[in-house]
Amino acid sequence: MTTTRPDLWSTLALLLCGTVVGYWIGVGKSLNISRGNAEDANKPANGTDAEESDSEDENTGDLRDLGNIKAGMLDECKMVLIVRTDLGMTKGKIAAQCGHATLACYKTLQKNNPALLRQWERTGQAKIALKADSEEELLILEAQAQSLNICARSIQDAGRTQIAAGSRTVLGVGPAPVKLINQVTGHLKLL
């Protein structure tokens, strides 16, 4: 029997969760499943606004520029999820926060660059989890990605469980062509 490191299992679990979310988003889109108006889909039946467990950072740069990125027919695309390791989040918390970041990036590109999103879906919906040591590092990476017109969405925790309210937990970068993403995140270590 071969033993493996626990961090390998957490990384595999994280990637599996992201893959499942991406797969079902793609299936729903290909089957043209919708729940009416996009704004109505986020409201509960009683008509009040749904309370979100986590929020996307409002500072998302100029979203019109996201349409400037074009991927060639053979270009591989990927999304990178950069997790803050200084917060001491549990594996489950990391997986949940990465799910929020994946969905935030997906929704942003669905509106602003659907052709790039389709190329990412065609090339396997690659998602890579990387480490960051601080909130400052996340902010620097977010600014670098936005300067290259790459979708970058940071997730701020609602503070209901282990992390203080408003703490940036994960930064989603992409999807975008691999060469472009690597200009921003190529120096980071795997989670």
Side-chain angles (χ1 to χ4, degrees):
M1 182 164 114
T2 304
T3 59
T4 58
R5 299 182 323 200
D7 57 332
L8 175 65
W9 287 111
S10 62
T11 302
L12 290 174
L14 180 66
L15 292 175
L16 178 62
C17 288
T19 302
V20 168
V21 168
Y23 174 78
W24 285 110
I25 289 171
V27 167
K29 184 160 178 68
S30 68
L31 296 176
N32 202 15
I33 296 172
S34 73
R35 293 173 42 187
N37 186 328
E39 292 176 8
D40 294 338
N42 293 327
K43 292 184 180 179
N46 65 7
T48 62
D49 286 344
E51 187 175 331
E52 292 193 22
S53 61
D54 296 286
S55 66
E56 302 160 14
D57 188 350
E58 295 300 320
N59 184 16
T60 58
D62 189 1
L63 297 178
R64 293 173 300 187
D65 291 341
L66 294 178
N68 291 341
I69 296 178
K70 307 286 187 239
M73 190 81 149
L74 301 177
D75 285 344
E76 294 268 337
C77 293
K78 70 178 177 180
M79 178 187 297
V80 173
L81 303 164
I82 306 163
V83 178
R84 277 184 62 189
T85 56
D86 62 317
L87 294 174
M89 293 182 284
T90 64
K91 296 170 193 170
K93 183 70 171 179
I94 291 172
Q97 297 298 298
C98 286
H100 290 301
T102 300
L103 192 55
C105 290
Y106 188 94
K107 285 180 173 182
T108 301
L109 280 185
Q110 191 174 34
K111 291 178 185 174
N112 296 288
N113 197 339
L116 180 60
L117 191 61
R118 283 191 302 273
Q119 179 64 13
W120 175 65
E121 290 172 336
R122 280 191 293 268
T123 60
Q125 303 172 7
K127 289 169 286 308
I128 311 299
L130 302 172
K131 297 179 191 179
D133 296 326
S134 67
E135 182 173 15
E136 181 182 350
E137 187 176 3
L138 278 189
L139 292 172
I140 291 169
L141 292 166
E142 184 175 17
Q144 288 174 341
Q146 289 174 349
S147 73
L148 295 171
N149 297 324
I150 302 171
C151 178
R153 302 302 304 260
S154 58
I155 302 302
Q156 292 183 305
D157 195 72
R160 294 193 190 95
T161 56
Q162 353 173 330
I163 308 299
S167 299
R168 280 182 174 75
T169 55
V170 174
L171 173 66
V173 178
V178 170
K179 290 178 184 176
L180 196 56
I181 294 276
N182 287 345
Q183 289 180 27
V184 177
T185 64
H187 65 285
L188 298 175
K189 293 183 180 180
L190 290 173
L191 180 65

